Short mmCIF file of all heavy atoms in Angstrom, two decimals:
data_model
loop_
_atom_site.label_atom_id
_atom_site.label_comp_id
_atom_site.label_asym_id
_atom_site.label_seq_id
_atom_site.Cartn_x
_atom_site.Cartn_y
_atom_site.Cartn_z
N ILE A 206 -8.73 6.86 8.39
CA ILE A 206 -9.41 7.52 9.50
C ILE A 206 -9.00 9.00 9.60
O ILE A 206 -9.77 9.84 10.04
CB ILE A 206 -9.09 6.76 10.81
CG1 ILE A 206 -10.03 7.19 11.91
CG2 ILE A 206 -7.65 6.93 11.21
CD1 ILE A 206 -9.90 6.31 13.14
N SER A 207 -7.78 9.31 9.15
CA SER A 207 -7.28 10.68 9.24
C SER A 207 -7.86 11.58 8.15
O SER A 207 -7.72 12.80 8.22
CB SER A 207 -5.76 10.70 9.11
OG SER A 207 -5.20 9.80 10.01
N HIS A 208 -8.52 10.98 7.15
CA HIS A 208 -8.94 11.77 5.99
C HIS A 208 -10.44 12.00 5.89
O HIS A 208 -10.89 12.67 4.96
CB HIS A 208 -8.48 11.08 4.70
CG HIS A 208 -7.00 10.94 4.59
ND1 HIS A 208 -6.38 9.73 4.53
CD2 HIS A 208 -6.03 11.87 4.54
CE1 HIS A 208 -5.07 9.91 4.46
NE2 HIS A 208 -4.82 11.20 4.47
N ALA A 209 -11.21 11.45 6.82
CA ALA A 209 -12.67 11.54 6.70
C ALA A 209 -13.15 12.99 6.67
O ALA A 209 -14.01 13.36 5.86
CB ALA A 209 -13.34 10.76 7.83
N GLU A 210 -12.57 13.82 7.53
CA GLU A 210 -13.02 15.22 7.57
C GLU A 210 -12.60 15.97 6.32
O GLU A 210 -13.34 16.80 5.79
CB GLU A 210 -12.47 15.91 8.83
CG GLU A 210 -13.20 15.49 10.10
CD GLU A 210 -14.72 15.44 9.95
OE1 GLU A 210 -15.31 16.45 9.51
OE2 GLU A 210 -15.32 14.39 10.23
N LYS A 211 -11.38 15.66 5.82
CA LYS A 211 -10.92 16.27 4.57
C LYS A 211 -11.86 15.89 3.43
O LYS A 211 -12.21 16.72 2.59
CB LYS A 211 -9.50 15.78 4.27
CG LYS A 211 -8.95 16.24 2.92
CD LYS A 211 -7.58 15.61 2.63
CE LYS A 211 -7.10 15.98 1.23
NZ LYS A 211 -5.80 15.41 0.89
N LEU A 212 -12.28 14.64 3.43
CA LEU A 212 -13.18 14.16 2.38
C LEU A 212 -14.52 14.90 2.47
O LEU A 212 -15.03 15.40 1.47
CB LEU A 212 -13.37 12.64 2.55
CG LEU A 212 -14.26 11.92 1.54
CD1 LEU A 212 -13.75 12.14 0.12
CD2 LEU A 212 -14.30 10.43 1.86
N ARG A 213 -15.07 14.98 3.66
CA ARG A 213 -16.36 15.68 3.83
C ARG A 213 -16.24 17.15 3.41
O ARG A 213 -17.13 17.69 2.74
CB ARG A 213 -16.82 15.60 5.29
CG ARG A 213 -17.35 14.24 5.68
CD ARG A 213 -17.90 14.22 7.10
NE ARG A 213 -18.56 12.96 7.38
CZ ARG A 213 -17.94 11.89 7.88
NH1 ARG A 213 -16.66 11.95 8.19
NH2 ARG A 213 -18.60 10.77 8.08
N ALA A 214 -15.14 17.79 3.80
CA ALA A 214 -14.95 19.20 3.47
C ALA A 214 -14.82 19.41 1.97
O ALA A 214 -15.32 20.40 1.42
CB ALA A 214 -13.71 19.73 4.19
N ALA A 215 -14.18 18.46 1.29
CA ALA A 215 -13.99 18.59 -0.16
C ALA A 215 -15.29 18.35 -0.92
O ALA A 215 -15.52 18.94 -1.98
CB ALA A 215 -12.93 17.60 -0.64
N LEU A 216 -16.14 17.48 -0.38
CA LEU A 216 -17.38 17.14 -1.07
C LEU A 216 -18.48 18.19 -0.84
O LEU A 216 -19.38 18.35 -1.68
CB LEU A 216 -17.88 15.77 -0.60
CG LEU A 216 -16.97 14.58 -0.92
CD1 LEU A 216 -17.55 13.29 -0.35
CD2 LEU A 216 -16.72 14.45 -2.42
N SER A 217 -18.37 18.91 0.24
CA SER A 217 -19.42 19.89 0.58
C SER A 217 -19.68 20.92 -0.52
O SER A 217 -20.84 21.18 -0.87
CB SER A 217 -19.05 20.56 1.91
OG SER A 217 -20.03 21.48 2.25
N PRO A 218 -18.66 21.54 -1.13
CA PRO A 218 -18.93 22.52 -2.19
C PRO A 218 -19.62 21.92 -3.41
O PRO A 218 -20.37 22.61 -4.10
CB PRO A 218 -17.53 23.03 -2.58
CG PRO A 218 -16.65 22.67 -1.44
CD PRO A 218 -17.23 21.44 -0.84
N VAL A 219 -19.38 20.63 -3.64
CA VAL A 219 -20.04 19.96 -4.78
C VAL A 219 -21.54 19.89 -4.52
O VAL A 219 -22.35 20.10 -5.43
CB VAL A 219 -19.45 18.54 -4.98
CG1 VAL A 219 -20.11 17.85 -6.16
CG2 VAL A 219 -17.95 18.59 -5.17
N VAL A 220 -21.90 19.65 -3.28
CA VAL A 220 -23.32 19.62 -2.92
C VAL A 220 -23.93 21.01 -3.10
O VAL A 220 -25.03 21.16 -3.62
CB VAL A 220 -23.49 19.14 -1.45
CG1 VAL A 220 -24.95 19.23 -1.05
CG2 VAL A 220 -22.97 17.72 -1.30
N GLN A 221 -23.19 22.03 -2.68
CA GLN A 221 -23.72 23.40 -2.77
C GLN A 221 -23.98 23.80 -4.22
O GLN A 221 -24.94 24.50 -4.52
CB GLN A 221 -22.76 24.38 -2.10
CG GLN A 221 -22.82 24.26 -0.57
CD GLN A 221 -21.61 24.88 0.11
OE1 GLN A 221 -20.91 25.68 -0.49
NE2 GLN A 221 -21.39 24.51 1.36
N LYS A 222 -23.14 23.31 -5.13
CA LYS A 222 -23.39 23.59 -6.55
C LYS A 222 -24.60 22.79 -7.03
O LYS A 222 -25.41 23.29 -7.80
CB LYS A 222 -22.16 23.24 -7.40
CG LYS A 222 -21.03 24.24 -7.25
CD LYS A 222 -19.89 23.87 -8.17
CE LYS A 222 -18.71 24.80 -7.94
NZ LYS A 222 -17.51 24.36 -8.66
N GLY A 223 -24.71 21.55 -6.56
CA GLY A 223 -25.87 20.72 -6.85
C GLY A 223 -26.21 20.59 -8.31
O GLY A 223 -27.38 20.71 -8.71
N LEU A 224 -25.22 20.38 -9.14
CA LEU A 224 -25.46 20.34 -10.58
C LEU A 224 -25.68 18.91 -11.08
O LEU A 224 -24.73 18.14 -11.20
CB LEU A 224 -24.27 20.97 -11.32
CG LEU A 224 -24.02 22.45 -11.02
CD1 LEU A 224 -22.74 22.92 -11.69
CD2 LEU A 224 -25.19 23.29 -11.48
N GLY A 225 -26.91 18.57 -11.37
CA GLY A 225 -27.26 17.32 -12.05
C GLY A 225 -26.55 16.09 -11.57
O GLY A 225 -26.64 15.71 -10.41
N ARG A 226 -25.79 15.49 -12.48
CA ARG A 226 -25.12 14.24 -12.15
C ARG A 226 -23.76 14.50 -11.51
O ARG A 226 -22.98 15.30 -12.02
CB ARG A 226 -24.91 13.44 -13.43
CG ARG A 226 -26.20 12.95 -14.04
CD ARG A 226 -25.96 12.45 -15.43
NE ARG A 226 -27.22 12.04 -16.01
CZ ARG A 226 -27.45 11.96 -17.32
NH1 ARG A 226 -26.49 12.25 -18.17
NH2 ARG A 226 -28.61 11.59 -17.76
N VAL A 227 -23.54 13.79 -10.45
CA VAL A 227 -22.22 13.86 -9.81
C VAL A 227 -21.64 12.45 -9.83
O VAL A 227 -22.27 11.50 -9.34
CB VAL A 227 -22.32 14.40 -8.37
CG1 VAL A 227 -20.96 14.35 -7.69
CG2 VAL A 227 -22.88 15.81 -8.36
N VAL A 228 -20.46 12.32 -10.41
CA VAL A 228 -19.82 11.01 -10.53
C VAL A 228 -18.62 10.95 -9.59
O VAL A 228 -17.77 11.85 -9.59
CB VAL A 228 -19.34 10.76 -11.98
CG1 VAL A 228 -18.61 9.43 -12.07
CG2 VAL A 228 -20.54 10.78 -12.92
N LEU A 229 -18.59 9.91 -8.80
CA LEU A 229 -17.47 9.70 -7.89
C LEU A 229 -16.63 8.57 -8.46
O LEU A 229 -17.06 7.42 -8.49
CB LEU A 229 -18.01 9.34 -6.52
CG LEU A 229 -17.12 9.44 -5.30
CD1 LEU A 229 -16.48 10.81 -5.19
CD2 LEU A 229 -17.92 9.14 -4.05
N ASP A 230 -15.45 8.92 -8.95
CA ASP A 230 -14.57 7.95 -9.59
C ASP A 230 -13.63 7.33 -8.56
O ASP A 230 -12.78 8.03 -7.98
CB ASP A 230 -13.77 8.66 -10.70
CG ASP A 230 -12.93 7.69 -11.52
OD1 ASP A 230 -12.76 6.52 -11.10
OD2 ASP A 230 -12.42 8.10 -12.58
N LEU A 231 -13.80 6.04 -8.32
CA LEU A 231 -13.01 5.35 -7.29
C LEU A 231 -11.92 4.48 -7.89
O LEU A 231 -11.34 3.65 -7.19
CB LEU A 231 -13.94 4.49 -6.41
CG LEU A 231 -15.15 5.20 -5.77
CD1 LEU A 231 -15.90 4.23 -4.86
CD2 LEU A 231 -14.72 6.43 -4.97
N SER A 232 -11.64 4.65 -9.17
CA SER A 232 -10.71 3.73 -9.83
C SER A 232 -9.29 3.79 -9.26
O SER A 232 -8.54 2.83 -9.40
CB SER A 232 -10.68 3.99 -11.34
OG SER A 232 -10.34 5.33 -11.60
N CYS A 233 -8.92 4.91 -8.64
CA CYS A 233 -7.57 5.03 -8.06
C CYS A 233 -7.61 5.03 -6.53
O CYS A 233 -6.62 5.40 -5.89
CB CYS A 233 -6.88 6.29 -8.57
SG CYS A 233 -6.53 6.23 -10.34
N LEU A 234 -8.74 4.65 -5.98
CA LEU A 234 -8.85 4.58 -4.51
C LEU A 234 -8.37 3.20 -4.06
O LEU A 234 -8.85 2.18 -4.52
CB LEU A 234 -10.31 4.81 -4.08
CG LEU A 234 -10.55 4.89 -2.58
CD1 LEU A 234 -9.88 6.13 -1.98
CD2 LEU A 234 -12.04 4.90 -2.28
N GLU A 235 -7.41 3.20 -3.14
CA GLU A 235 -6.82 1.93 -2.70
C GLU A 235 -7.40 1.42 -1.38
O GLU A 235 -7.30 0.24 -1.06
CB GLU A 235 -5.31 2.08 -2.53
CG GLU A 235 -4.57 2.39 -3.80
CD GLU A 235 -3.10 2.61 -3.52
OE1 GLU A 235 -2.48 1.78 -2.85
OE2 GLU A 235 -2.57 3.66 -3.95
N PHE A 236 -7.97 2.36 -0.60
CA PHE A 236 -8.45 1.97 0.72
C PHE A 236 -9.52 2.94 1.17
O PHE A 236 -9.44 4.15 0.90
CB PHE A 236 -7.28 2.00 1.74
CG PHE A 236 -7.69 1.68 3.15
CD1 PHE A 236 -7.73 0.36 3.59
CD2 PHE A 236 -8.04 2.69 4.03
CE1 PHE A 236 -8.12 0.07 4.89
CE2 PHE A 236 -8.42 2.40 5.34
CZ PHE A 236 -8.46 1.08 5.76
N ILE A 237 -10.52 2.41 1.85
CA ILE A 237 -11.51 3.28 2.50
C ILE A 237 -12.04 2.51 3.71
O ILE A 237 -12.20 1.29 3.66
CB ILE A 237 -12.64 3.69 1.52
CG1 ILE A 237 -13.54 4.76 2.15
CG2 ILE A 237 -13.46 2.48 1.07
CD1 ILE A 237 -14.44 5.48 1.15
N ASN A 238 -12.30 3.21 4.80
CA ASN A 238 -12.81 2.55 6.00
C ASN A 238 -14.28 2.92 6.19
O ASN A 238 -14.90 3.55 5.32
CB ASN A 238 -11.96 2.95 7.22
CG ASN A 238 -12.06 4.43 7.52
OD1 ASN A 238 -12.83 5.16 6.91
ND2 ASN A 238 -11.28 4.89 8.47
N SER A 239 -14.84 2.52 7.33
CA SER A 239 -16.28 2.74 7.53
C SER A 239 -16.61 4.23 7.61
O SER A 239 -17.69 4.65 7.18
CB SER A 239 -16.75 2.02 8.80
OG SER A 239 -16.18 2.62 9.94
N ASP A 240 -15.69 5.02 8.13
CA ASP A 240 -15.93 6.46 8.21
C ASP A 240 -15.99 7.07 6.81
O ASP A 240 -16.82 7.94 6.52
CB ASP A 240 -14.81 7.12 9.02
CG ASP A 240 -15.29 8.35 9.75
OD1 ASP A 240 -16.52 8.59 9.79
OD2 ASP A 240 -14.44 9.09 10.28
N GLY A 241 -15.10 6.61 5.94
CA GLY A 241 -15.11 7.08 4.55
C GLY A 241 -16.38 6.67 3.83
O GLY A 241 -16.97 7.46 3.09
N LEU A 242 -16.80 5.43 4.06
CA LEU A 242 -18.07 4.98 3.47
C LEU A 242 -19.22 5.84 3.97
O LEU A 242 -20.13 6.20 3.22
CB LEU A 242 -18.33 3.51 3.83
CG LEU A 242 -17.42 2.47 3.17
CD1 LEU A 242 -17.72 1.08 3.72
CD2 LEU A 242 -17.57 2.48 1.65
N GLY A 243 -19.15 6.19 5.26
CA GLY A 243 -20.18 7.07 5.82
C GLY A 243 -20.20 8.43 5.15
O GLY A 243 -21.26 8.99 4.88
N ALA A 244 -19.00 8.94 4.84
CA ALA A 244 -18.92 10.24 4.15
C ALA A 244 -19.54 10.14 2.76
O ALA A 244 -20.22 11.08 2.30
CB ALA A 244 -17.46 10.68 4.05
N LEU A 245 -19.36 9.02 2.07
CA LEU A 245 -19.96 8.84 0.75
C LEU A 245 -21.48 8.74 0.84
O LEU A 245 -22.20 9.29 -0.01
CB LEU A 245 -19.40 7.58 0.07
CG LEU A 245 -17.88 7.51 -0.14
CD1 LEU A 245 -17.54 6.37 -1.09
CD2 LEU A 245 -17.32 8.82 -0.67
#
Side-chain angles (χ1 to χ4, degrees):
Chain A
I206 194 170
S207 308
H208 299 117
E210 285 316 307
K211 174 185 175 180
L212 182 57
R213 286 184 172 90
L216 297 178
S217 180
V219 181
V220 175
Q221 287 162 18
K222 286 183 185 172
L224 297 174
R226 293 167 182 157
V227 176
V228 177
L229 197 53
D230 186 347
L231 306 184
S232 57
C233 294
L234 185 66
E235 296 176 50
F236 177 87
I237 189 165
N238 64 6
S239 67
D240 210 10
L242 290 175
L245 302 193

